[in-house]
Amino acid sequence: MIMPARPLIDPQGATPVYRQVADVLRRRIASGELPPNRPVPSETQLEAEFEIARGTARKAIAVLREDGLVVTIPGRGTFVNPVD
Amino acid sequence: MIMPARPLIDPQGATPVYRQVADVLRRRIASGELPPNRPVPSETQLEAEFEIARGTARKAIAVLREDGLVVTIPGRGTFVNPVD
DNA sequence: CTATATTTGTGCGTATGTATG
DNA sequence: ACATACATACGCACAAATATA
């Protein structure tokens, strides 16, 4: 039996896992679940929640950063952008 | 001369270094060498003792924390759980 | 109150090895 | 060959919490 340990992610899907994770976070930002100036889950937390490798978590965050949705502050974390 | 700088750890072994370190600490807890409410060696100390990277030390501690053997307090340290 | 040291938290960058599509 | 992903491990820097001088 294959356990669907990752409800929101489809590892077999056409879109890469890191994009799927980025999309989930994007939705949380859009919905207000992750409000401006609040930290996005850390790489470690993303690892645990989505059961992904650290590199994949970082890649997901990088997507949001490139889209200007979040800003990363070294040593502190990644935060939802107040602008927009 | 090859220095056996890591007596208790085998970097080439089948089990990951962070698990081996966790096992060493687990034994120290079980034996009473690390009694309840006493601090486990800090990440820096584990780095020095086992000659590992800090990330590896953190992962070893994380294993013990997931097993409920220790509790970590930011800014203070990680302590052997009194329960059990 | 300030300053310093210690410890944990977080992130960045890199590297190696394995596996899959 | 290449991209994706996982797992492991190294090293470095900055931030925050705590404790102490």
Side-chain angles (χ1 to χ4, degrees), chain A residues 6 16-18 53 56 75-76:
Chain A
R6 296 190 273 186
V17 174
Y18 75 93
T56 307
R76 289 198 52 208

Side-chain angles (χ1 to χ4, degrees), chain A residues 4 8 18 29 31 34 37 40-42 48 57-59 66 71 74-75 81:
Chain A
L8 303 161
Y18 75 93
I29 291 171
S31 74
L34 285 175
N37 296 314
V40 163
S42 71
R58 290 181 58 176
K59 239 175 158 179
E66 284 156 20
V71 56
N81 231 320

Side-chain angles (χ1 to χ4, degrees), chain B residues 7-79:
Chain B
L8 303 161
I9 303 300
D10 174 19
Q12 319 299 344
T15 58
V17 173
Y18 75 91
R19 291 213 164 270
Q20 294 182 50
V21 172
D23 286 343
V24 171
L25 296 177
R26 204 193 313 271
R27 270 178 250 130
R28 290 185 186 167
I29 291 171
S31 73
E33 187 182 342
L34 286 174
N37 296 313
R38 271 256 291 273
V40 162
S42 73
E43 293 171 0
T44 311
Q45 288 173 327
L46 292 177
E47 268 192 68
E49 176 177 357
F50 295 100
E51 299 184 12
I52 57 180
R54 193 184 154 205
T56 307
R58 284 178 63 81
K59 230 172 164 183
I61 300 240
V63 169
L64 301 180
R65 189 166 46 239
E66 285 157 19
D67 287 359
L69 283 175
V70 299
V71 56
T72 298
I73 304 173
R76 290 198 52 204
T78 297
F79 301 85

Side-chain angles (χ1 to χ4, degrees), chain A residues 12-80:
Chain A
Q12 319 300 342
T15 57
V17 174
Y18 75 93
R19 291 214 163 267
Q20 294 183 48
V21 173
D23 286 343
V24 171
L25 296 177
R26 204 193 313 271
R27 271 178 250 131
R28 290 185 187 166
I29 291 171
S31 74
E33 188 183 341
L34 285 175
N37 296 314
R38 271 257 289 275
V40 163
S42 71
E43 294 176 357
T44 310
Q45 289 173 328
L46 292 177
E47 269 191 64
E49 176 177 357
F50 295 101
E51 300 184 11
I52 56 180
R54 189 184 157 209
T56 307
R58 290 181 58 176
K59 239 175 158 179
I61 301 246
V63 169
L64 301 180
R65 189 165 47 239
E66 284 156 20
D67 288 359
L69 283 174
V70 299
V71 56
T72 298
I73 305 173
R76 289 198 52 208
T78 298
F79 301 84
V80 180

